[in-house]
Amino acid sequence: MSQSNRLAAGGLIDRASSIGFTFDGRRYAGHPGDTLASALLANGVKLVGRSFKYHRPRGVLTAGSEEPNALVELRSGARREPNAKATVAELYDGLEATSQNRWPSLAFDLMAVNQLASPVFVAGFYYKTFMWPAKFWEKLYEPMIRRAAGLGRLSGEADPDSYEKITAHCDVLVIGSGPAGLAAALAAGRSGARVILAEEDFALGGRLNSDRRLIGDKTSAAWAAEAVAELESLPEVTVLRRTPVVGVYDDGVYAALERVSDHMREPGAHQPRQRLWRIVAKRSVLAAGALERPIPFGGNDTPGVMLASAVRTYLNRFGVAPGKRAVVYANNDDAAATIADLAAAGCEVVAVVDARGDAPALHAAARAARASLVFGGAIARAYGGRSLKGCEIVDGRGGGFKVACDLIAVSGGWNPSIQLTTHLSARPVWDDRLAAFLPGARPVGMEVAGAAEGAYGLGDALAAGFRAGAAAAEACGFAAGAVDVPATDQEPGDTHGRGPWRSPVKRGKAFVDFQNDVTVSDVELAAREGFKSVEHLKRYTTLGMATDQGRTSNVLGLALMAEITGRSIPETGITAARAPFTPVAIGALAGAHRHKEFRPTRLPPSHFWAEEQGAVFTETGQWMRAAYFPRPGEKDWFESAVREVTTVRTAVGVYDASTLGKIDIQGADAGVFLDRVYVNAFSSLAVGKARYGLMLREDGVAMDDGTTTRLGETHYYMTTTTANAGGVMRHLELCKQWLWPELDVHFSSVTDQWAQYAIAGPRSREVVAALVDEGFDVSNEALPYMGARELTVCGGVKARLFRLSFSGELAYELAVPARYGDAMIRAIIKAGEPFGICPYGAEALAIMRIEKGHAAGPELNGNTTAADLGMGKMLSKKKDFIGRTMSGREAFLDPERPSLVGFRPVDRSARLRSGAHFVPRGETPSAANDQGYMTSTAYSPSNGHWIGLGFLARGPERMGEIVRAYDPVRGGDVEVEVVSPVFVDPEGARLRG
Amino acid sequence: MSTDNYSIFSVLREALRGHTGWKPAWRDAAPKAAYDVVIVGGGGHGLAAAHYLAKEFGVTNVAVVEKGWIGGGNVGRNTTIIRSNYLLPGNIPFYEHSMKLWEGLEQDLNYNAMVSQRSVINLFHSDGQRDAYARRGNAMRLHGVDADLLDVAELKRILPMLDYENARFPVKGALRQKRGGTVRHDAVAWGYARSADGRGVDIIQNCEVTGFRIEGGRILGLETSRGFIGAKKVALACAGNSSRVAAMAGMRLPIESHVLQAFVTEGVKPFIDTVCTFGAGHFYISQSDKGGLVFGGDIDGYNSYAQRGNLPTVEDVCEGGMALMPAIGRVRLLRSWGGIMDMSMDGSPIIDRTPVEGLYLNAGWCYGGFKAVPAAGHCLAHLIARDEPHPVAAAYRLDRFATGRTIDEKGMGAQPNLH
Amino acid sequence: MRIACPFCGPRGVDEFAYLGDATVKRPNADAPDALPAFVEYVYLRDNPAGLHRELWQHALGCQSWLVVTRNVRTHVIDQVEAARDVAAARSSEAE
Amino acid sequence: MAETLVARSALRAHVAPPAAPAGAPGFTLREVPDLTLASVAALKGREAELAEAVRAAYGLDLPQGPKRVASGPVAFVGAGPGKWLAVSSAATDFSALPAAVADQSDGRSAFRLAGPKARETLATLIQVDLHPRAFGAGDVALTHAASIAVTLWQLDDEPSYEILMFRTYAATLWRWIVEAGRSRGVEARLAG
Ligand SMILES: Cc1cc2nc3c(=O)[nH]c(=O)nc-3n(C[C@H](O)[C@H](O)[C@H](O)COP(=O)(O)OP(=O)(O)OC[C@H]3O[C@@H](n4cnc5c(N)ncnc54)[C@H](O)[C@@H]3O)c2cc1C
Ligand SMILES: NC(=O)c1ccc[n+]([C@@H]2O[C@H](COP(=O)([O-])OP(=O)(O)OC[C@H]3O[C@@H](n4cnc5c(N)ncnc54)[C@H](O)[C@@H]3O)[C@@H](O)[C@H]2O)c1
Ligand SMILES: Cc1cc2nc3c(=O)[nH]c(=O)nc-3n(C[C@H](O)[C@H](O)[C@H](O)COP(=O)(O)O)c2cc1C
Ligand SMILES: [Zn+2]
């Protein structure tokens, strides 16, 4: 395991320790401070991946998160992570990487036959083919395409790691830690402002670590280290490494992703894998730098072709020579540094191809490196297949020659990293002098500094950073003192790369978008077929749509389109960048709330007791409710629920009704207010009485129902359905604050304050009597049906007792403060034992309310009116109320509207199902014969057969008629008789008794 | 020589000569002085209407004017789901008509839009939801549309990656429409444009409508950024912007503009081969042919014309995703974007005449108008050509809000952000 | 997006519930043209692409209903007022 | 007559097991039992009367805004325009105040978090700025902890905080705080 390409010295790696890793099962060694890419290059590994469409062999192009080629699967088992960029994956001991999108192996990929068909597989060919026969698309073509597409594989197992989110507020957020970012953070941090410095990389310093520059008398990397040390000593500065800022949102909200544990084999105990930061910043400084762009030429994707700036990063930061014999191809002066650094590292620079005329900077560098210089020339073609063997160079006069080389360093100018300036829709502006898009309008509060705004000189970047950091701090009210911008060594010459945009020689495939295999000729084809808008170009060819989001290709692609169509670059335009800046694991965006903790769980006061009883629970919104309480020997919910109903109807049962919404309403105008929100009147309700109320939406449709009790002259207690409690409260607040602010009325949600138990059944009065304290009379005379009173139970616990019944039996609802809820249910059970009490759950409750024809959620489904529900007569004519006027619309008065009736099977042994549709007897089921639908069904122990509620056209007029309940999705088709929706005690004698 | 018909043979022929013979898929037309019909909006609906006007109704003196580039609106940014699994009688026949048109689309257009009937699966988590889905499935069957209810055992076979064991809201089954699926969204716009263009329709890009010329209650033409264009009839198909354009004709609509975000991950090998919606969270997902998981959730919930949303919705959608499919934790979100939609007051669309004679409206498609593209185009063309609504779109009237014949699938009432 | 609740201070949009257009006014139910007025009130919207006055509630906060003036193109918020104050001012104007 | 009823916390069992860090705790988490709580809303036109009554009975000026004022066992917490939460660690009857008063002693549960890592832990659940420059002793936030509505205030500069939530959410929120606190040295014990 020799690191054949590791330089003898230099770099920000820890040479003292060596760490092992595997790639495609082979073992290699690297050092802490390496990325997977630098370690692979150090070991002489050039072939690291296969391209998306043609499965072409690919190597490392860049040294950052813009990498289009070097994608691998990291780790294994449930932690397998597809499409990891080797250029950002930090090396750790035991790292496992596997190449992807190849079969059977990286070196021999059978899918590479796609290359043979590549003349057919041009941009957009799918749209022109695969149409015959039509059925073959889903069966044959699409599965084939899908298998070939995609890159890495998911494990298919649940992600075993955890994630965390955190919110941070600051005065100044600095994005990027190159010279501009460090300077900005220093200026702001020294002022005392709260500063967050977020850097994507694990090393701070940006290009300071990649280039051999001097700041004052220090190397640029040493200066960066000192700046970081100072920042870390400032109490209000937070330095976040491995943390790209990924999104900019309205009003200074930024999302950043901290890769907490990705540089370790697995996260430490209780540590998340990643942490999503929501940063709320008053100001921000974007110092994200600039990325170099390639120059397309034939075979420019051969492993060994690399961006010139990345070559420097590997040499200087990682102490790795990405090649031994290099050709440099540039259209600007920046490559001079690459030539010099290669030479300094002992690599041979065989040729320098300057696409421009003779430019002194490259001329001098080439001469110093003893490289032959070709100006006005180009690379015609690179060759070598799985690793670069050489290239053909043409000079400006038509001559050409071949040179052997194992590295081509390409420098086509710079693209400022302005993506984050456009997340809030601003358009970038083209700058002809810099040949680059610069930030247009900035998001409110954001400044851009350094290479990200086109200040490419190191000195300029430092100066801009200090200036922006100070300005940002000052805008937040801090005094930033003057700074001396340190002096720097000589800047390179003209680094702008104003073209040419591609090699003029067309030989072989010249890639623009490496990852999505989009070539120069694809761009030409798109233009030919009319896809000339950059957005059409993108979507037709997929240019810029891969995991790198075209960070090395977008500008190039549109520049080529501009050239081909004879338009200027600004006329041609640029595609929009979108969040995230760099791809983010979905697990991190989801955070900690997974599995059972996806949403909060609300537990009513009897929950622990119910668990002890072996209750089976059901999720109702956020609540857990006991569905039924199985007893030994009962084989399913049905038996238990039927037994519970029978017990209530013949003896007594208890149900925890605490999940109902409960609202305390007070104020001089409480009665008037309720008159306006309910269809019926409440101001006339006597103190100590409860009344059923129905609320409509303003459009006349039923919104919610419940009972409201008048506890005092100006004091009411409202109950709502469990599901709508929040919505009703919001509605009441709106009515009070917005519609009728003149009214004196106040609400307090007391849902959680009271544990409320329904005690129902012929023996319920006896149970209640055993619980209330002496002196309180619960007789029918003292507390009649719909009566309510405040009293004490069990020796002084204050309580409210309501004579309400949802089950249709003699029944009470007893409310005690929630802390006593657990003890109360135990006391009720105990007091009820002599009378045969049992607890009943939501299933039994549902059966009983259906037996009584009470509407609930399935009937109040957002489309039904009071009249549909059989409550049309409740609508007061004496007052205005929400929904009154709109209830008078034509369709609401249509006699054909389905309205609520009951159903029983003609064959009494037949089962009914909710969701069945009603079809007239003897007619074929069809849309035209669809007359309504079943909303609720239950087996009624009292009747000995199934019963149902449902909406049927002209239902109330059709009593006794037989219709079909048609349920094809469950294979049901049952004849049912239309009956009254009240199946038990229609006169209501029991509940009044 | 040029290549007109698309087929494997024409592709092979072109391959031999470097693909130099292809013609533009549609001409980049400049506006003429006047047309019989001008359609505002080069999205799916506008382009489909132009195609059907020309092909089915013989009306070819037609222009589609688009303020940007065609397909740049919602047709180019939706999550590509097609289905006809609706509940209400006003909707089912319409969407089924659309489904049938999708089923023959490629042959009709000579363009592969990759209609993929890979099935749409709506999960339920409670008995109440199951019954509501049964009601819907039965309604579909009564209309002759395919629907079936799946139990958990069947679901586990089709969607093994769901969290069945440890979920906060356990999956209890699903409603499936096998004929539902996805379509390659951009190709729909391009395919209709190419076909309409081939039949003589002018597709005019970078031409923004800025006003209408109306005299005596009759439309005469429209003002655009490229000058006045005369028209006997004008139809609006400018999803998301309907209110603004209608306001130029003096109308107020029962519509708010809202942003819906959508998301795509990095490409991965086949993971899920159906469309799946999560009834207890705000999440739905499918996988594109390129391998990206395409997913979304609820709208952000406030009026917006900004084509982008905010972070809480992103988080909410991803939470829903992880709750349903904990295996997607390590796939990376690649890109998020937003689209502006006409959210109508009952969640259903409008295809109708307007108080201005000769001015027709196609609007209010909410987040569901992609699947409607063929039928909406066809029905709009029918309305324009015949001046009466197509029977399957007869419920989509403007006056339904006044009469109370609203079509409210979700039962949310007049609150657009809840539909 | 962050909304500055007059009581609580600036908070993330996730704490707020949205209702919509705050310029419509509940009509008088006793007026002879009440039905068309209600149809308009409940269903018709200006839906401008610029400044929009809209109702939000600080639902996961102090429960205040707010009238927010916001540019719906840029999401920039100009003004946040308590709905009760706006309503009170509006009814005193009407008198 | 039936036996007397025992009061029980919403956290009874079933919440995460007690967590104890190896070293010094990053923060402690405790339930605050037996608070007397009442929601208090000023009646129309009687705002001054209420303020006067509170001053007379408890020697406190009702805070205008999200603030907490305390004297002895009693505190008033701003809960919205014209609304307060009256809090007392002793048995206190607030019902006589000239206001709309609703007992909430059982409607909410309360936890106290104290120690150097309390703030960072809260930041994983709550999005309000708790930095000392933005939030100090006496400050109140009506907000949510990962969607659970909470009222939070700071008691002192240790820092320690009290957080109130609707009682039926208490078990969930307890688990979530303990979970977020595990990497931050939470020491969590139930009362009693
Ligand atoms: C994120 C997202 C996901 C969605 N997912 C689905 C889904 O899975 N399934 C589904 O069925 N539906 C979905 N939809 C909804 C669907 O995309 C839309 O309902 C549908 O595309 C709207 O019709 P259209 O294609 O004609 O609209 P668009 O493509 O928006 O066309 C309208 C055109 O009008 C143009 N225009 C506007 N104003 C003017 C003017 N003044 N002058 C000239 N031109 C103008 C616009 O530029 C635009 O191109 C989704 C929507 C979004 C945003
Ligand atoms: N010679 C040239 O033409 C040329 C061109 C460009 C840059 N440069 C050199 O590069 C340097 C420019 O300085 P600078 O500070 O502007 O840039 P930089 O490239 O040194 O630093 C930018 C930093 O931002 C980080 N970053 C980018 N996006 C990020 C995000 N979203 N979140 C978090 N971190 C992010 C990068 O990882 C990098 O560390 C100077 O040294 C300059 O001389 C030179
Ligand atoms: C179904 C679908 C799949 C997409 N897949 C990708 C993708 O693989 N890569 C990508 O960069 N964008 C993808 N996008 C998003 C587009 O790049 C773009 O964001 C979207 O069309 C909206 O346009 P805009 O972002 O320019 O506003 C996809 C969009 C859709 C609708
Ligand atoms: Zn507030």
Side-chain angles (χ1 to χ4, degrees), chain A residues 71-143:
Chain A
L71 306 189
V72 297
E73 287 175 1
L74 268 191
R75 299 184 168 85
S76 56
R79 288 198 165 82
R80 182 163 73 203
E81 185 191 337
N83 308 338
K85 290 167 179 142
T87 50
V88 295
E90 204 171 334
L91 204 67
Y92 56 85
D93 198 30
L95 178 145
E96 261 179 281
T98 317
S99 60
Q100 55 185 32
N101 203 35
R102 85 289 184 271
W103 190 84
S105 77
L106 184 57
F108 300 98
D109 179 2
L110 286 176
M111 296 293 281
V113 297
N114 281 4
Q115 288 185 65
L116 300 178
S118 68
V120 177
F121 280 13
V122 293
F125 92 102
Y126 298 96
Y127 306 122
K128 298 173 179 139
T129 55
F130 298 127
M131 286 179 269
W132 305 269
K135 285 234 166 8
F136 275 35
W137 176 252
E138 285 94 347
K139 298 241 151 35
L140 182 67
Y141 302 134
E142 188 177 47

Side-chain angles (χ1 to χ4, degrees), chain B residues 40-46 65-82 86 207-210 237-241 244-245 248 260-262 284 337-341 362 365-373:
Chain B
V40 185
H45 290 226
V65 296
E66 164 56 50
K67 73 176 153 88
W69 38 281
I70 62 163
N74 290 338
V75 74
R77 56 186 67 242
N78 69 84
T79 42
T80 76
I81 299 168
I82 61 163
Y86 279 74
C207 178
E208 179 164 1
V209 173
T210 53
C238 31
N241 279 292
R244 298 174 56 206
V245 181
M248 298 170 194
L260 177 66
Q261 300 195 60
Y284 62 92
W337 62 94
I340 302 305
M341 301 156 313
N362 166 310
W365 290 96
C366 301
Y367 44 75
F370 176 67
K371 66 177 89 71
V373 162

Side-chain angles (χ1 to χ4, degrees), chain A residues 538-539 545 549 578, chain B residues 76-78 80 185 334-335 337:
Chain A
K538 161 181 156 174
R539 286 155 178 82
M545 297 182 79
Q549 288 288 286
R578 292 281 199 174
Chain B
R77 56 186 67 242
N78 69 84
T80 76
H185 53 292
L334 174 64
R335 191 171 169 100
W337 62 94

Side-chain angles (χ1 to χ4, degrees), chain B residues 3-259:
Chain B
T3 313
D4 272 321
N5 192 50
Y6 286 169
S7 73
I8 186 65
F9 306 108
S10 61
V11 171
L12 287 172
R13 193 168 58 235
E14 282 300 328
L16 298 177
R17 56 176 184 209
H19 296 277
T20 49
W22 297 111
K23 284 202 306 191
W26 65 90
R27 293 164 295 127
D28 203 358
K32 292 191 291 197
Y35 293 89
D36 290 343
V37 177
V38 174
I39 296 168
V40 185
H45 290 226
L47 294 165
H51 161 84
Y52 292 112
L53 268 177
K55 180 159 185 255
E56 305 290 329
F57 301 94
V59 185
T60 55
N61 185 17
V62 174
V64 177
V65 296
E66 164 56 50
K67 73 176 153 88
W69 38 281
I70 62 163
N74 290 338
V75 74
R77 56 186 67 242
N78 69 84
T79 42
T80 76
I81 299 168
I82 61 163
R83 55 182 176 91
S84 56
N85 60 357
Y86 279 74
L87 172 70
L88 299 176
N91 279 328
I92 304 174
F94 174 84
Y95 286 101
E96 180 57 15
H97 181 55
S98 216
M99 186 61 82
K100 296 222 170 85
L101 292 171
W102 284 122
E103 285 169 339
L105 187 79
E106 274 109 5
Q107 287 66 30
D108 187 15
L109 298 183
N110 177 232
Y111 204 86
N112 187 357
M114 306 179 200
V115 176
S116 171
Q117 294 182 291
R118 54 179 76 174
S119 83
V120 170
I121 293 179
N122 304 126
L123 304 175
F124 55 77
H125 310 268
S126 68
D127 296 349
Q129 279 184 343
R130 185 201 46 233
D131 293 342
Y133 275 138
R135 176 186 163 202
R136 180 197 293 227
N138 287 333
M140 292 162 65
R141 296 276 281 264
L142 283 168
H143 281 84
V145 180
D146 72 303
D148 55 344
L149 275 190
L150 301 179
D151 62 18
V152 173
E154 283 169 291
L155 259 182
K156 281 187 175 166
R157 228 173 8 83
I158 303 167
L159 294 168
M161 75 296 276
L162 305 188
D163 187 354
Y164 294 95
E165 308 313 324
N166 202 11
R168 171 73 179 79
F169 300 104
V171 175
K172 294 202 165 170
L175 176 70
R176 171 173 67 179
Q177 184 183 23
K178 274 192 171 171
R179 287 160 64 242
T182 60
V183 183
R184 170 84 179 94
H185 53 292
D186 294 321
V188 172
W190 302 336
Y192 274 115
R194 175 170 166 271
S195 173
D197 171 90
R199 294 181 158 83
V201 172
D202 278 0
I203 291 163
I204 306 166
Q205 302 187 98
N206 299 308
C207 178
E208 179 164 1
V209 173
T210 53
F212 294 99
R213 199 172 289 173
I214 298 168
E215 265 175 40
R218 228 205 117 67
I219 195 95
L220 296 181
L222 11 73
E223 309 290 347
T224 77
S225 54
R226 296 173 74 169
F228 176 77
I229 306 176
K232 298 198 182 106
K233 293 182 174 182
V234 173
L236 308 186
C238 31
N241 279 292
S242 299
S243 301
R244 298 174 56 206
V245 181
M248 298 170 194
M251 295 165 61
R252 291 175 89 213
L253 299 180
I255 284 174
E256 288 178 0
S257 294
H258 282 256
V259 60

